[in-house]
Amino acid sequence: MEVGSLPVELWRLILAYLPLPDLGRCCQVCRAWRELILSLDSTRWRQLCLGCPECRHPNWPRCPHLPPVSWREALRQHALASRTWTQNGSDLHSSACLHLFRRRKDRRVWHVGTVAGGGYETFRGALAAAGPYDKVVLHAGVYEEQVEVSLKVPVEIVGMGKLGDVSLLVSFDQQCPTSRLCNLVFMPAWFSPVVYKTSSGHVQLDNCNFEGCQIHIRGPGTCQARFCSFAQGSSAHFLGVAISLMDSCEFSGGDSASVTVEGAPVSERNWAFKHLVALAKTFTMMTSNGSTEISTPSGKDSMGAGSHGNTPLEGVNTMEDWSKQEVDLETNWAKQKGGDILLPGQDGTMIEEDGMETSSESSEEGDEQDGEKSTGLKLSYDQHGLAHLSKADMPDSSAFPALLSLSAELQRDAEARDLAASVQGCLLWRCLLRDGKGGVHLCNHGQARLEANVFRGLNYAVRCIQNAKMVMLRNEVCGCKASGVFLRLSAQGLIAENNIHSNGEAGLDIRKGANPIILCNRIHSGLRSGIVVLGNGRGSIRSNQIYGNKEAGVYILFNGNPVVSGNHIFQGLAAGIAVNENGRGLISENVIRQNQWGGADIRRGGDPVLRNNFICYGYSDGLVVGERGRGLIEGNHIYGNRGCGVWVMSSSLPQLIGNHITHNRLYGLAVFCRKETDSAVGREGYRGPENFNEEGELMAWESDIDSEDERFSSRRPITVALVENNCISHNGAVGVYVKSSEPLNVVANMVKNNKAAGVSVIQSAQLTRLVANCVLCNGWTGVTVDRECRVELRGNGVYGNNCHGVCFRGDGLIVENDVVGNNAVGIRVMDNADVKVLRNRVQALRGYGISVKERVRGVVQENLFWPSKYIRFLFITNNIWHNIFDLYYSFCSRSQALWALENPSPRPHNSNPSSVTPSTLPAHLAITMTNRITASVESGCHNNGSIFCSIL
């Protein structure tokens, strides 16, 4: 009969009454009939799939409300898997195929219970009569055996009726090659909690419930459990298994781990090994093709992100949006009012802004400036050695490195690729583990693969210890009371594309030599940190989205030493990355944005390498180097933060090299001598090591930490904080603000277009060296040095600042600098300064080239002035100011050659100071400029006076 002779709807109605064999025959008629049969997926195929007593809903237990991609395909997969236990052809005799088919065709069915037409009354009696591959059918009732039951021959045991009608209080010991148990409820016998064990054969468990009992599988024995429920503390133990499958099972209410995998896989293999490996690979392919999607309760995460490859950037502000936002006073964020700045977390402590002159000093400018406008004859300084840094600007979100997909990560990492392809040990696929103490526990070289599972409401989801290895792909881990995934004692493996969120402790906890590969996960909304690495833990953490955690996105401490690369860490309620308590690590090419506290926070012996990261749009400081912080901070973009770009405590020894610190709302770089208080530490989310426990108990941290000598032996021999080759520009206050009690070297930096002073040193108990920097076009003084500060200025270029070039009140040297094109005095020395001003080239557009007044001691020698202005010296005698002399200089010849910075060219000269490895620099970093500036004054000059002057 042709299909076209009747409407398609009528055919579908007729075919809906056909049983499964007849549907298969109809598919073989022709292509039109096949397409018609396949169109019954949501009707007849769904009815057949749900009506099978051996199979529950295809998406049970994780999300039974969601239909499968194809009901027919789900039924086909069930039919194939249900026959795995019979594929034992190696134990048959010579005519293997004939024997196998004969046994399948002629196998007998034995009934147990009250059955019309007879049957066995006892379960043991039916097993004694059953032959190989026979079927034992248990009718409704409770079956109990007082001693252990041994299975000597392959047998299939099936419960009739609905699940729950047949209950077994039996302990099985399988001694045959294969067996199958289906549609049964297992409860522990009075003498043992173990209801099933095997050490050599294969057992298949379909649609069974286990209540308060255990199954034990020892290698080379294997197990395939499908659509089973392990409730009331039931668990599965695997010891040395080569492979076992747990497919669509539910574990709940356990007082210990639901699944325990222990021991390295044994080399011996049973007959089922190759079949289970093939089946496991089909599972893996189905998951990787996206046929099994994990659904969160809300349908999407808090970020509203789609696929992992698309980084959510809708929360990123542009610089214009950022500048328009007002600071939220309720969260105590920084707010600038006039010359006083209140910084976050300082309990009202005011930090004086000395980049601005006081009113009394500014009133003196009328005396120092002659009221004339600039002569218009300006010197060109565009070709200085740091000109390449002048072009640096704030990047936009399109400059962020994109998150790599898992396939891209696997292509470039052979070790991760091998792990992702490996199928060995215990495989958990599409299982639900909920409301118990533990999920999966791997120990003592055990191996497991966890794929597309849901872990919810446990104390911990996965614990991997003692050299165990796991592959954890596309799982959801949420609502754990402690850490979600916990690795220690040299554990390793691959953790990729998981959704880890809303856990009570860290999403991932790595310690004691564990070294996993963590790729492309979403780790968010945790009540503590996203990832914690401590106690000599390592790991490679790449291409993850880490966001919305209440503490640091990545927390490294107690000698943790991971590689953190290519992640997006954002919208955290504390620091983006925190490195404390002698933590280390390589942190590179991450996007760290919109965190409440420092984008990166280093303190208390932390010594990481931060390289090429984007640290931006934070609600506080970009980078915080707290008390005793260390580290190499190189090539980072730090911009758009509401606090400082970089905040450094003077007791720390960082190396800041080649960073772009721009468009931050307060200081670009601030170095403070204030010690940290408890409240300051608390604002970074650090609560002490006692909170990093496994299950709530206090831990002995001495076992996690190496000796003091071992920890410090790897440190670089750095004794002075170094700021080198950075671009510090367009910040809302001073570019470089120093209030320090420790020595500091500031070398070859571009300090440009900051709203206040370029460099402001208001406290420097030990020597601060400013060497070969370019201080350009800042909103106030180029370099200001306050009273009682020890500062050396050598080889700098101070150009085009809106006020004085250099305002110096402290002690030190001003040697071989170019101070040109500033709008007020070139070099202003005043108060009780003790300074040597030697071999500088000075031009002031307004005011004096050099102004020296009050009780200044020192030497002014061999300086070269351009003739637009003059030098003025003011002395104080008996508190009365007297003009001693005014020296006017002018060049007789106005040739163009005289109006250029030549021989040498404009300072600074060191165009690539980072070519010198920081670790090879001496601790004192004494950089000497050897070029000597000499000049002659032609006979027409005022009084034929010399430009070499000394003040005794």
Side-chain angles (χ1 to χ4, degrees):
M1 183 180 295
E2 294 294 333
V3 174
S5 60
L6 290 176
V8 175
E9 290 78 9
L10 185 57
W11 275 115
R12 289 174 178 169
L13 182 62
I14 295 172
L15 294 175
Y17 291 93
L18 294 182
L20 181 59
D22 291 339
L23 285 175
R25 295 185 184 100
C26 290
C27 279
Q28 298 176 348
V29 172
C30 63
R31 180 176 298 176
W33 279 76
R34 175 180 173 80
E35 292 177 356
L36 182 61
I37 298 300
L38 294 181
S39 69
L40 303 175
D41 188 82
S42 61
T43 55
R44 183 55 179 165
W45 288 111
R46 178 181 180 274
Q47 184 180 9
L48 289 172
C49 185
L50 294 178
C52 178
E54 303 173 0
C55 180
R56 305 188 190 188
H57 189 286
N59 284 331
W60 183 91
R62 303 174 311 141
C63 40
H65 57 284
L66 295 179
V69 176
S70 170
W71 289 96
R72 174 183 169 274
E73 179 63 22
L75 186 61
R76 188 181 77 87
Q77 291 294 333
H78 163 69
L80 292 175
S82 64
R83 293 197 293 268
T84 303
W85 77 283
T86 63
Q87 298 175 0
N88 180 20
S90 60
D91 292 341
L92 301 177
H93 299 293
S94 57
S95 55
C97 293
L98 295 178
H99 255 358
L100 180 60
F101 284 112
R102 181 177 60 81
R103 286 182 174 180
R104 288 178 177 172
K105 182 178 180 179
D106 298 335
R107 70 175 186 166
R108 301 182 64 178
V109 178
W110 306 92
H111 292 270
V112 181
T114 305
V115 184
Y120 284 89
E121 293 184 359
T122 64
F123 177 52
R124 187 180 290 273
L127 288 178
Y133 298 95
D134 283 352
K135 184 176 183 179
V136 177
V137 178
L138 303 178
H139 291 260
V142 177
Y143 300 86
E144 182 176 6
E145 296 293 336
Q146 299 299 317
V147 294
E148 188 175 74
V149 175
S150 297
L151 298 180
K152 302 290 186 179
V153 295
V155 67
E156 182 179 17
I157 305 172
V158 180
M160 287 292 289
K162 297 181 179 179
L163 180 62
D165 291 345
V166 180
S167 299
L168 294 179
L169 283 75
V170 181
S171 179
F172 289 98
D173 181 11
Q174 179 182 334
Q175 299 175 6
C176 57
T178 183
S179 64
R180 180 174 185 246
L181 294 89
C182 179
N183 206 39
L184 302 170
V185 175
F186 288 89
M187 292 181 286
W190 66 272
F191 56 88
S192 175
V194 179
V195 297
Y196 204 96
K197 63 182 178 181
T198 182
S199 59
S200 60
H202 170 71
V203 58
Q204 182 166 330
L205 305 170
D206 288 332
N207 197 31
C208 293
N209 281 4
F210 296 84
E211 298 180 1
C213 53
Q214 304 172 6
I215 63 172
H216 285 193
I217 310 298
R218 181 185 294 268
T222 55
C223 173
Q224 181 184 1
R226 303 174 61 254
F227 297 97
C228 293
S229 176
F230 293 77
Q232 300 178 17
S234 298
S235 60
H237 294 254
F238 299 91
L239 179 61
V241 295
I243 189 168
S244 285
L245 305 183
M246 307 290 286
D247 175 13
S248 301
C249 295
E250 180 182 19
F251 298 83
S252 62
D255 294 330
S256 60
S258 298
V259 179
T260 301
V261 183
E262 183 178 359
V266 297
S267 58
E268 185 180 357
R269 305 286 189 259
N270 69 358
W271 69 269
F273 178 82
K274 61 180 181 180
H275 303 288
L276 293 180
V277 169
L279 187 60
K281 289 183 177 179
T282 63
F283 290 167
T284 303
M285 292 176 61
M286 290 173 60
T287 309
S288 61
N289 290 335
S291 61
T292 56
E293 293 295 331
I294 298 176
S295 172
T296 59
S298 61
K300 63 180 181 178
D301 56 58
S302 61
M303 210 171 50
S307 63
H308 179 273
N310 297 325
T311 306
L313 295 176
E314 61 271 12
V316 176
N317 295 334
T318 63
M319 196 61 223
E320 291 76 10
D321 296 336
W322 202 256
S323 61
K324 293 177 183 178
Q325 296 179 8
E326 291 296 325
V327 180
D328 190 349
L329 297 177
E330 294 179 357
T331 54
N332 197 28
W333 288 333
K335 187 167 186 180
Q336 181 173 348
K337 295 181 179 180
D340 297 327
I341 299 174
L342 179 62
L343 294 180
Q346 295 194 32
D347 300 325
T349 302
M350 304 302 293
I351 297 178
E352 301 81 17
E353 174 58 82
D354 282 7
M356 299 291 185
E357 302 288 348
T358 62
S359 57
S360 61
E361 291 167 351
S362 60
S363 64
E364 298 171 7
E365 292 184 8
D367 298 333
E368 296 185 353
Q369 296 181 4
D370 57 3
E372 299 178 6
K373 295 184 179 181
S374 172
T375 60
L377 298 175
K378 299 181 180 180
L379 299 176
S380 174
Y381 44 78
D382 295 336
Q383 302 304 315
H384 58 82
L386 298 180
H388 60 284
L389 293 177
S390 299
K391 301 177 181 179
D393 201 359
M394 186 189 71
D396 56 18
S397 59
S398 63
F400 291 165
L403 286 169
L404 297 181
S405 64
L406 179 59
S407 59
E409 285 285 358
L410 296 180
Q411 286 179 1
R412 66 177 191 171
D413 189 336
E415 181 183 359
R417 186 166 60 248
D418 293 341
L419 285 172
S422 65
V423 177
Q424 195 170 17
C426 180
L427 169 62
L428 265 75
W429 189 58
R430 302 192 309 184
C431 295
L432 171 63
L433 299 94
R434 63 178 178 87
D435 302 328
K437 183 175 182 180
V440 178
H441 179 70
L442 288 86
C443 60
N444 194 20
H445 298 272
Q447 295 189 23
R449 184 183 182 98
L450 316 176
E451 193 163 354
N453 304 286
V454 174
F455 300 84
R456 185 172 63 227
L458 304 164
N459 274 16
Y460 66 88
V462 181
R463 174 179 291 172
C464 186
I465 65 174
Q466 295 172 339
N467 297 283
K469 181 185 295 185
M470 70 173 176
V471 177
M472 188 173 175
L473 299 176
R474 305 178 185 95
N475 302 276
E476 181 180 5
V477 179
C478 62
C480 295
K481 296 178 182 177
S483 298
V485 182
F486 183 65
L487 301 100
R488 67 168 182 166
L489 297 175
S490 302
Q492 54 185 312
L494 173 65
I495 302 172
E497 286 194 343
N498 301 282
N499 184 16
I500 303 173
H501 65 94
S502 307
N503 297 290
E505 293 285 339
L508 280 85
D509 189 312
I510 305 167
R511 62 179 76 180
K512 291 186 178 180
N515 188 20
I517 301 173
I518 302 170
L519 306 177
C520 306
N521 302 279
R522 286 186 295 154
I523 305 169
H524 61 99
S525 307
L527 300 182
R528 295 293 298 274
S529 299
I531 300 177
V532 171
V533 186
L534 68 157
N536 292 306
R538 293 179 292 162
S540 180
I541 304 169
R542 307 197 305 267
S543 298
N544 301 279
Q545 296 183 54
I546 305 172
Y547 59 96
N549 299 286
K550 286 193 175 180
E551 293 188 5
V554 178
Y555 204 170
I556 306 170
L557 67 165
F558 293 118
N559 264 12
N561 190 17
V563 175
V564 184
S565 176
N567 305 279
H568 285 199
I569 305 171
F570 56 98
Q571 295 176 356
L573 301 183
I577 294 180
V579 187
N580 278 317
E581 305 295 346
N582 304 304
R584 291 173 289 168
L586 172 61
I587 302 167
S588 65
E589 299 179 358
N590 303 281
V591 177
I592 307 170
R593 59 180 173 86
Q594 292 177 299
N595 295 284
Q596 292 283 359
W597 297 117
D601 188 286
I602 306 168
R603 64 184 72 221
R604 298 187 179 181
D607 189 11
V609 175
L610 266 75
R611 183 173 289 142
N612 302 330
N613 301 282
F614 288 81
I615 305 175
C616 55
Y617 302 124
Y619 295 104
S620 183
D621 307 313
L623 169 65
V624 176
V625 185
E627 186 176 353
R628 295 188 291 110
R630 305 169 71 93
L632 173 61
I633 301 158
E634 182 177 17
N636 301 282
H637 292 269
I638 305 172
Y639 62 92
N641 299 285
R642 291 191 173 183
C644 303
V646 180
W647 173 300
V648 179
M649 292 296 170
S650 64
S651 58
S652 59
L653 295 173
Q655 299 178 83
L656 280 83
I657 299 175
N659 302 282
H660 294 266
I661 306 170
T662 63
H663 297 90
N664 299 286
R665 207 169 258 194
L666 298 182
Y667 306 115
L669 166 65
V671 183
F672 289 96
C673 64
R674 181 180 61 84
K675 299 295 183 182
E676 293 178 299
T677 62
D678 294 339
S679 61
V681 175
R683 77 185 181 101
E684 304 299 340
Y686 179 80
R687 303 183 191 174
E690 65 274 10
N691 285 303
F692 290 99
N693 51 50
E694 298 182 17
E695 299 174 12
E697 71 275 9
L698 187 65
M699 294 202 57
W701 287 103
E702 290 76 7
S703 60
D704 284 350
I705 308 174
D706 290 341
S707 67
E708 199 75 12
D709 294 338
E710 287 179 318
R711 285 184 312 192
F712 287 95
S713 62
S714 62
R715 301 288 175 80
R716 293 179 294 273
I718 299 299
T719 59
V720 179
L722 174 64
V723 180
E724 181 180 15
N725 205 32
N726 302 281
C727 178
I728 305 173
S729 67
H730 296 92
N731 296 288
V734 178
V736 179
Y737 183 90
V738 180
K739 185 178 180 182
S740 175
S741 59
E742 304 290 339
L744 175 67
N745 292 322
V746 182
V747 182
N749 300 279
M750 167 65 73
V751 185
K752 174 186 175 185
N753 290 117
N754 299 285
K755 290 187 178 180
V759 180
S760 179
V761 184
I762 68 168
Q763 179 178 329
S764 180
Q766 299 191 44
L767 183 60
T768 295
R769 289 185 170 88
L770 305 175
V771 180
N773 301 282
C774 180
V775 185
L776 177 66
C777 297
N778 295 283
W780 201 243
T781 304
V783 179
T784 177
V785 178
D786 209 344
R787 303 170 183 86
E788 299 181 357
C789 294
R790 297 182 57 207
V791 178
E792 175 185 345
L793 276 72
R794 187 184 295 271
N796 302 282
V798 184
Y799 304 119
N801 297 284
N802 203 37
C803 191
H804 310 302
V806 177
C807 184
F808 204 98
R809 298 182 179 89
D811 303 334
L813 299 173
I814 305 175
V815 180
E816 297 177 348
N817 303 279
D818 288 345
V819 186
V820 172
N822 300 285
N823 282 336
V825 175
I827 300 176
R828 188 182 191 209
V829 183
M830 56 189 302
D831 291 350
N832 293 321
D834 186 352
V835 62
K836 294 181 179 179
V837 184
L838 306 175
R839 300 184 296 280
N840 301 282
R841 297 188 293 189
V842 184
Q843 182 205 28
L845 298 182
R846 298 183 180 184
Y848 302 96
I850 297 180
S851 173
V852 182
K853 61 181 182 178
E854 301 187 29
R855 292 191 175 94
V856 175
R857 294 173 296 170
V859 176
V860 179
Q861 276 189 350
E862 304 180 55
N863 299 283
L864 174 62
F865 301 90
W866 269 260
S868 59
K869 295 297 171 186
Y870 51 86
I871 304 178
R872 189 179 203 188
F873 298 92
L874 299 177
F875 283 70
I876 295 180
T877 303
N878 296 325
N879 294 324
I880 299 175
W881 291 26
H882 299 278
N883 291 332
I884 303 300
F885 52 84
D886 293 338
L887 300 179
Y888 292 84
Y889 298 94
S890 62
F891 288 97
C892 297
S893 173
R894 295 297 181 96
S895 65
Q896 189 65 28
L898 295 176
W899 293 93
L901 295 173
E902 295 179 349
N903 297 320
S905 58
R907 296 184 176 95
H909 297 149
N910 223 355
S911 61
N912 189 20
S914 61
S915 61
V916 181
T917 305
S919 60
T920 63
L921 292 174
H924 58 277
L925 199 69
I927 298 178
T928 303
M929 306 294 290
T930 58
N931 295 328
R932 178 186 176 96
I933 308 299
T934 59
S936 59
V937 181
E938 297 186 13
S939 57
C941 293
H942 176 73
N943 288 335
N944 292 327
S946 172
I947 64 171
F948 298 90
C949 304
S950 298
I951 303 176
L952 301 179

